[in-house]
Amino acid sequence: MDSFQDIIFKLKKYWAERDCIIQEPYDVEVGAGTMTPETFLRVLGPRPYRVAYVQPSRRPADGRYGENPNRLYKHSQLQVILKPPPDDVIEQYLQSLEAIGIDLRKHDIKFEEDNWESPTLGAWGIGWQVMLDGLEITQFTYFQQCGGIDLDLVPAELTYGLERLTAFLQMRESVYDIAWSPSATYADVRFQDELQYSVYNFEMADVQALWTLFGIHEAEAARLLAAYPKAPDRKRFPLLPAYDQVLKCSNLFNTLDSRGAISVTERQGVIQRVRKLAVGVARAWVDQQNGQFEEAAQ
Amino acid sequence: MSLPFLLEIGAEEIPDWMIPGALESLGERFRGLGVPHAALRLDATPRRLVLRADGLAERQADAEERILGPAKTAPAKAVEGFARKQGVRLEDLRVESTPRGDYYTCIRKVEGRRTRDILAEALPGVIRGIDFPKTMYWTGKNGPRFIRPIRWIVALLGDQVVPFELAGVHSGAVTAGHRRLGAAAVPVSISDYERKLRENFVILSAEERRKKIEEGIRALRVTLKRDPALLETLVYLTECPTPILGEFDEQFLALPEEVRITVMRHHQKYFSAEGRHFVAVMNTNADPEGLVRRGNERVLRARFNDARFFWETDQKKKLSDRVPDLGHVTFQEKLGSYLEKTERVVELVRQLGGGEAALRAAWLAKCDLTTELVKEFTELQGVVGGLYARAQGEPEAVWQAIYDHYQPVSMEDSIPRNIAGQLVSIADRLDTLRGCFRVGLIPTGSRDPLALRRAAQGIVKIVVEGRHRLALQDLLGGDQQLAGFLEDRVRFYFREVRGFRYDEVNAAMAAGWNDLVDLEERLLRIQKIRPTPDFEPLAASFKRVKNILRQAEFRGGPALDNRLLETGPERELYEEMQRIAGLPIESVITSLRPKVDLFFDKVLVNAPDEKLRLNRLTLLHNLLAEFSTIADFSEIVTNS
């Protein structure tokens, strides 16, 4: 039986053999693999790119104090970006499942419509949730827009839910029972994270402090974005650090949300604030990559 | 020679609900080409849209084209040039007279084009023109758009490929089988196409897939709730459907059935069977080791566990303690929070004469919007509130009212089962309508994002079927536009839902529609007397009366002076009116009709004597008024 880490090794190897760069997780908190610069910024512009990485994804509102067998504050996604995708991208994806030991002749695979959208990132795509014996194991998306920009090359994004896949393969009822390694369970590795972050996000996070932090990161991102068009040498301008600030805002927003600190009325407004920054970075990034600096980024 | 034609557009998995519409659109576009053909057949699976037609000609018919040349007066050189250019001899030119004078013309034979060439040219446009509610691009910016990437195209006319290219895909004679069970590349001809697909585990016909699912379910020997919508989804979600039976643990029977069914049906696309069984439909041919069954059971267990977690968490805070939280839930940006809405709805229920149960239900009705279970299963709003109210010991009248207050969701749906629920539902909808109309959120044409038509339609249905004697128009906050909107819904309800004839509805509504129960009673009466022999002639007479009064611009005047009545038909009509005053129309129609007829036969309304004339108009005016309380009979369309 393959452990959690074996499955990750195999998937990484599978995509490495198909000419993907294997990246390590991004080191700023994100809600989904899509948000890391490896996806959000790299899908922009005309340059082909292929990358795969595991991204721990934090969803404060989904935390359950380690008590729910299926819901996690922090789960792991394997994110694959194929820009542009090969014509047989679905076949390649299905073979990746066989590479981790799923005999698809004995199972039921369905592609059910599920279009992905991230209002905070100004991004959306068309695609499916891939269902394996009734279990959603992957989100498959053809990106259409990112940061409000139509994409030159349409990338395929494959997002594997690693815990679910592993629980399926190991036939475990609870994610905490899956074998992370031959000698350690998922609970051994992650239970404390689940418990403590749930306590923090739901009970102890200081709302005022989080709003203050939100304001600081927002201001820093905005300051950089305002400076970009006027920068004497845009090629060396720090847009990647600016984007980190946006990611910080996004995570703080999610934490505030799980803390119940954002009313429905306010919600839309805060999403717009983050979106504005994300879109600003995306535009500037395209400009910087193209080296066409005459058109000022917003 | 007559040829068959096959077009298969192979795509990545097309959303099930878009497929029937796409096929229809494909058929339309193809017919629009004007290429004559016999029978046409459309089929689809998630991965292919298929059009087959018989009886296409190899070549389209030859035609003649008349080409206008130089004028007869033109120099000979020009005429020779024209003939040379058209490739005809000079003596073959004809002279035709046109409105602008005489001109040389020549007739040129236009050879009918090869159908294959026409199709090769037109099919890319046909395919790209298929309507989808949403499309994508995949070959790069400004590339072609379709619902999902096109991966192969089969286009055959007889045994020849119709060659074209679309989105980098070249048409050919190779299809693809089922993703896992079939071959990836399957060469086909028109005659073996369907058989080859079948050998590769693709059932092309939706009808056949539907049958396979239904027969498969029968073989499982379980009783299912009929669910045509889910069946349709599964038909278009599979190429090789096979139902299997699954079971869940007894402990989950503690979850409300409504929640269980929603999880199974909406989230997992399972048919829910009696007891602890469910049926999943696989897109493969068998599950010999039971792996798929176990997988699905495991997923359902996890889903049920989640639901139970929400169910238990929500119970920690009573509905009644959640009312203040509604202040944080926006009803509509311009209309404030659900707390404000709740307060208004309670007030409306009071105005409607609601009792304690209705007022309590109105107060708690929206509280489930703050529960985790409704956040997870939004389609269960109302129902969940009702279930919690029951669990928390609210009286039956209250929890049922909360449970039902979104009903009816359609004209086929039933109205809330008790009076409290009916009143809350009416009040909730009235509040939404009044608020939206007040801030200008008014439906236009087909745009009705807030489903206000449905809301208004629901009010009408509840008021009528719940037999609520309300002065409906007094409840609209004096909004004339809303009154007009609601009037349309009343009309729609009695005509389309209840099947009354449109002129009967117009007639009855012209006599008022404030009290819909009364309106319904009047409509039933009209419907009943309409077939009686005297009715339509009398209605025709009323129309005449109305016209006379309108032409005379008579809107009532001095009281009738019976001394001015002429003996004979005029007085007889008057006396008949005196006799039947206050009697129901059903019992007087037979005796009244001959008097009216006779009156019009013998009496000149527009008498030269002005006093006489006015008195007669008054008589007719009174006659009309007497019978217009149940309907304006002049609205009845008669044959005479």
Side-chain angles (χ1 to χ4, degrees):
Chain A
M1 185 184 71
D2 282 342
S3 64
F4 185 60
Q5 65 197 30
D6 289 332
I7 290 165
I8 292 172
F9 296 152
K10 285 184 178 175
L11 284 172
K12 283 184 171 178
K13 184 158 178 292
Y14 179 88
W15 289 111
E17 284 164 358
R18 277 151 193 82
D19 198 25
C20 281
I21 295 160
I22 302 301
Q23 267 276 20
E24 297 307 317
Y26 198 59
D27 56 353
V28 174
E29 314 91 303
V30 290
T34 309
M35 303 181 79
T36 72
E38 280 300 303
T39 294
F40 181 74
L41 295 177
R42 293 285 191 170
V43 296
L44 296 165
R47 263 171 248 178
Y49 198 65
R50 291 166 78 90
V51 66
Y53 54 95
V54 174
Q55 185 62 47
S57 302
R58 303 177 188 232
R59 310 254 166 96
D62 283 353
R64 293 288 181 267
Y65 297 89
E67 288 166 8
N68 184 300
N70 310 299
R71 292 219 182 198
L72 296 169
Y73 154 65
K74 182 165 71 181
H75 71 287
S76 311
Q77 298 180 337
L78 179 81
Q79 172 87 353
V80 181
I81 292 292
L82 304 169
K83 177 195 174 190
D87 287 350
D88 65 344
V89 55
I90 291 190
E91 271 314 304
Q92 290 198 20
Y93 161 71
L94 291 175
Q95 281 162 24
S96 77
L97 298 179
E98 292 186 327
I100 53 172
I102 301 172
D103 181 351
L104 289 178
R105 287 172 179 278
K106 295 180 179 173
H107 292 277
D108 177 36
I109 279 271
K110 290 198 195 86
F111 287 75
E112 297 185 4
E113 179 192 22
D114 193 14
N115 300 326
W116 171 84
E117 185 182 18
S118 167
T120 9
L121 295 180
W124 67 275
I126 293 266
W128 306 271
Q129 46 181 349
V130 184
M131 309 296 284
L132 175 63
D133 298 346
L135 175 73
E136 183 194 346
I137 51 165
T138 304
Q139 181 80 36
F140 188 125
T141 309
Y142 288 108
F143 278 8
Q144 303 284 293
Q145 255 197 358
C146 210
I149 298 166
D150 284 345
L151 298 179
D152 294 297
L153 293 178
V154 172
E157 178 203 55
L158 313 179
T159 305
Y160 299 72
L162 291 170
E163 283 87 353
R164 284 180 175 198
L165 259 181
T166 308
F168 177 89
L169 282 165
Q170 298 185 356
M171 300 211 277
R172 302 291 166 168
E173 291 298 316
S174 164
V175 63
Y176 294 102
D177 294 337
I178 66 179
W180 186 298
S181 74
S183 60
T185 65
Y186 196 87
D188 294 336
V189 183
R190 283 280 171 82
F191 177 77
Q192 282 303 319
D193 298 49
E194 290 300 319
L195 176 60
Q196 295 192 11
Y197 276 99
S198 293
V199 171
Y200 178 75
N201 294 329
F202 293 130
E203 300 169 21
M204 294 186 67
D206 185 293
V207 172
Q208 201 43 58
L210 294 184
W211 275 125
T212 307
L213 286 171
F214 184 93
I216 290 172
H217 290 296
E218 183 188 30
E220 183 67 348
R223 182 181 67 83
L224 287 170
L225 284 174
Y228 173 76
K230 294 168 257 168
D233 187 358
R234 291 192 197 170
K235 265 177 278 190
R236 61 190 292 280
F237 192 88
L239 287 173
L240 287 165
Y243 187 61
D244 284 353
Q245 302 299 319
V246 181
L247 291 179
K248 291 280 187 193
C249 286
S250 168
N251 184 59
L252 285 160
F253 165 74
N254 290 339
T255 310
L256 282 161
D257 202 21
S258 70
R259 189 82 175 83
I262 300 178
S263 74
V264 181
T265 344
E266 267 177 307
R267 219 186 134 74
Q268 215 41 44
V270 184
I271 288 176
Q272 283 308 318
R273 280 159 72 183
V274 181
R275 181 194 160 98
K276 194 175 160 210
L277 296 174
V279 167
V281 174
R283 289 197 182 146
W285 175 264
V286 169
D287 176 77
Q288 189 177 54
Q289 291 302 300
N290 291 347
Q292 295 161 349
F293 299 128
E294 58 282 351
E295 192 190 342
Q298 193 184 317
Chain B
M1 196 170 71
S2 157
L3 297 171
F5 171 64
L6 163 67
L7 174 67
E8 180 191 54
I9 306 152
E12 293 179 0
E13 279 75 355
I14 303 169
D16 55 271
W17 60 279
M18 296 184 188
I19 293 174
L23 273 186
E24 199 176 306
S25 170
L26 171 61
E28 259 168 48
R29 299 269 161 186
F30 180 75
R31 285 189 197 97
L33 293 181
V35 173
H37 59 267
L40 189 137
R41 194 187 152 83
L42 297 159
D43 289 285
T45 75
R47 293 181 68 205
R48 58 201 87 224
L49 301 175
V50 179
L51 181 150
R52 284 178 289 178
D54 285 329
L56 279 75
E58 191 179 3
R59 243 173 223 292
Q60 300 302 297
D62 292 345
E64 285 188 340
E65 196 182 0
R66 189 187 65 129
I67 297 159
L68 200 63
K72 202 185 167 197
T73 52
K77 258 209 152 104
V79 180
E80 277 164 33
F82 172 64
R84 197 170 341 109
K85 193 169 156 227
Q86 297 303 325
V88 295
R89 288 175 304 179
L90 204 57
E91 54 268 36
D92 289 338
L93 292 182
R94 284 193 282 182
V95 175
E96 275 184 49
S97 49
T98 75
R100 288 191 293 145
D102 289 349
Y103 281 82
Y104 283 102
T105 62
C106 78
I107 299 294
R108 208 176 55 171
K109 272 234 168 83
V110 183
E111 214 174 273
R113 292 183 66 199
R114 290 198 310 175
T115 306
R116 191 161 73 107
D117 295 341
I118 296 175
L119 291 173
E121 206 173 280
L123 287 178
V126 168
I127 297 171
R128 291 173 70 157
I130 297 175
D131 287 325
F132 288 104
K134 193 163 193 164
T135 58
M136 62 174 287
Y137 65 99
W138 66 97
T139 57
K141 194 147 72 180
N142 304 323
R145 303 187 71 90
F146 204 64
I147 177 60
R148 290 289 187 278
I150 295 173
R151 292 306 183 197
W152 77 86
I153 295 169
V154 177
L156 290 167
L157 182 64
D159 51 12
Q160 282 195 305
V161 169
V162 178
F164 63 92
E165 181 264 353
L166 178 63
V169 177
H170 291 271
S171 59
V174 180
T175 183
H178 183 279
R179 274 204 192 279
R180 287 297 95 186
L181 304 172
V186 182
V188 288
S189 66
I190 291 186
S191 57
D192 68 9
Y193 171 70
E194 202 163 344
R195 181 170 57 82
K196 284 277 189 67
L197 283 181
R198 193 183 302 277
E199 285 167 10
N200 284 277
F201 301 92
V202 175
I203 300 171
L204 182 60
S205 150
E207 190 47 44
E208 201 183 323
R209 292 197 300 277
R210 195 174 296 120
K211 274 209 188 98
K212 189 166 188 291
I213 295 174
E214 285 172 333
E215 276 160 21
I217 290 172
R218 263 197 292 283
L220 296 173
R221 300 183 178 286
V222 284
T223 320
L224 301 185
K225 282 208 172 74
R226 249 181 63 77
D227 197 338
L230 179 58
L231 179 62
E232 210 52 20
T233 298
L234 291 164
V235 162
Y236 286 109
L237 203 55
T238 53
E239 298 205 292
C240 177
T242 309
I244 50 167
L245 190 64
E247 201 177 351
F248 60 82
D249 198 275
E250 204 171 341
Q251 55 169 321
F252 296 115
L253 289 173
L255 265 177
E257 193 189 8
E258 294 87 341
V259 176
R260 289 201 314 264
I261 288 178
T262 301
V263 171
M264 288 192 270
R265 184 168 188 265
H266 296 277
H267 296 240
Q268 293 299 132
K269 301 193 170 75
Y270 301 153
F271 292 100
S272 60
E274 275 177 354
R276 297 184 285 116
H277 286 103
F278 65 90
V279 172
V281 175
M282 308 183 293
N283 182 27
T284 185
N285 57 345
D287 181 28
E289 294 170 43
L291 292 174
V292 182
R293 176 176 57 80
R294 278 201 295 282
N296 278 286
E297 285 175 347
R298 208 181 134 265
V299 176
L300 188 61
R301 195 152 52 234
R303 288 271 194 181
F304 279 171
N305 265 323
D306 259 13
R308 191 167 53 183
F309 174 84
F310 294 136
W311 175 255
E312 283 164 7
T313 311
D314 288 341
Q315 298 282 9
K316 290 177 191 159
K317 188 168 184 179
K318 284 187 155 193
L319 280 185
S320 47
D321 296 332
R322 290 174 183 269
V323 175
D325 301 343
L326 290 175
H328 305 295
V329 187
T330 311
F331 163 49
Q332 207 286 324
E333 216 185 315
K334 294 177 188 163
L335 297 171
S337 72
Y338 269 101
L339 180 59
E340 293 164 81
K341 181 177 181 50
T342 295
E343 285 161 353
R344 291 192 303 263
V345 170
V346 168
E347 192 43 46
L348 270 169
V349 167
R350 201 188 308 278
Q351 270 185 52
L352 293 171
E356 203 180 314
L359 290 168
R360 176 75 177 164
W363 183 241
L364 300 178
K366 300 297 175 190
C367 290
D368 67 356
L369 295 176
T370 68
T371 64
E372 296 297 320
L373 204 56
V374 168
K375 284 180 199 162
E376 188 75 7
F377 305 108
T378 44
E379 62 269 52
L380 283 178
Q381 57 184 355
V383 170
V384 163
L387 293 170
Y388 284 138
R390 183 173 63 185
Q392 291 161 16
E394 296 290 341
E396 187 178 76
V398 174
W399 73 254
Q400 288 182 347
I402 298 171
Y403 189 106
D404 295 345
H405 85 279
Y406 288 97
Q407 280 171 233
V409 293
S410 69
M411 280 301 100
E412 293 74 43
D413 194 15
S414 50
I415 64 170
R417 72 194 103 165
N418 67 29
I419 293 178
Q422 291 164 15
L423 293 181
V424 173
S425 184
I426 294 171
D428 183 23
R429 290 159 196 262
L430 266 178
D431 174 70
T432 300
L433 286 166
R434 280 166 60 161
C436 289
F437 271 73
R438 185 163 45 76
V439 299
L441 296 164
I442 298 167
T444 52
S446 60
R447 266 189 59 77
D448 183 13
L450 301 167
L452 297 185
R453 276 194 196 93
R454 197 171 69 193
Q457 206 67 71
I459 293 177
V460 175
K461 189 175 161 87
I462 298 169
V463 171
V464 176
E465 293 171 26
R467 304 199 63 75
H468 292 278
R469 306 300 298 247
L470 303 171
L472 193 56
Q473 280 158 285
D474 301 348
L475 293 164
L476 304 181
D479 188 322
Q480 284 314 303
Q481 215 176 348
L482 177 54
F485 182 76
L486 198 60
E487 188 179 352
D488 281 346
R489 300 338 292 168
V490 173
R491 212 174 287 280
F492 177 88
Y493 172 79
F494 283 112
R495 266 161 45 173
E496 310 298 325
V497 182
R498 300 290 301 277
F500 286 101
R501 287 164 67 168
Y502 76 97
D503 56 342
E504 294 169 8
V505 175
N506 288 348
M509 286 185 68
W513 58 273
N514 202 12
D515 178 346
L516 297 184
V517 178
D518 173 61
L519 173 61
E520 186 197 31
E521 280 168 8
R522 287 186 279 121
L523 269 166
L524 288 167
R525 286 171 66 189
I526 298 168
Q527 197 177 44
K528 215 167 156 193
I529 53 172
R530 178 152 199 178
T532 60
D534 295 309
F535 179 76
E536 293 214 357
L538 193 61
S541 299
F542 277 122
K543 188 171 300 187
R544 194 164 161 193
V545 170
K546 206 174 175 189
N547 282 337
I548 290 169
L549 293 174
R550 191 176 47 232
Q551 274 159 22
E553 293 179 18
F554 185 83
R555 290 188 192 79
L560 190 82
D561 182 352
N562 58 16
R563 287 165 309 176
L564 291 174
L565 296 171
E566 248 174 46
T567 317
E570 189 176 12
R571 186 160 292 276
E572 279 173 34
L573 176 60
Y574 170 73
E575 281 165 3
E576 175 68 10
M577 282 167 62
Q578 294 298 103
R579 191 182 68 79
I580 63 176
L583 295 176
I585 188 164
E586 289 84 349
S587 62
V588 306
I589 185 167
T590 313
S591 59
L592 178 65
R593 182 199 156 187
K595 311 277 190 227
V596 175
D597 286 355
L598 201 63
F599 174 87
F600 278 121
D601 229 21
K602 306 286 184 202
V603 180
L604 183 66
V605 178
N606 286 320
D609 178 351
E610 180 65 8
K611 269 209 297 204
L612 266 186
R613 190 180 81 95
L614 280 178
N615 204 48
R616 283 178 185 163
L617 288 172
T618 307
L619 180 70
L620 291 180
H621 185 260
N622 291 355
L623 175 69
L624 200 60
E626 172 71 21
F627 293 102
S628 294
T629 51
I630 87 159
D632 178 350
F633 290 105
S634 68
E635 291 281 352
I636 297 291
V637 177
T638 57
N639 293 322
S640 46

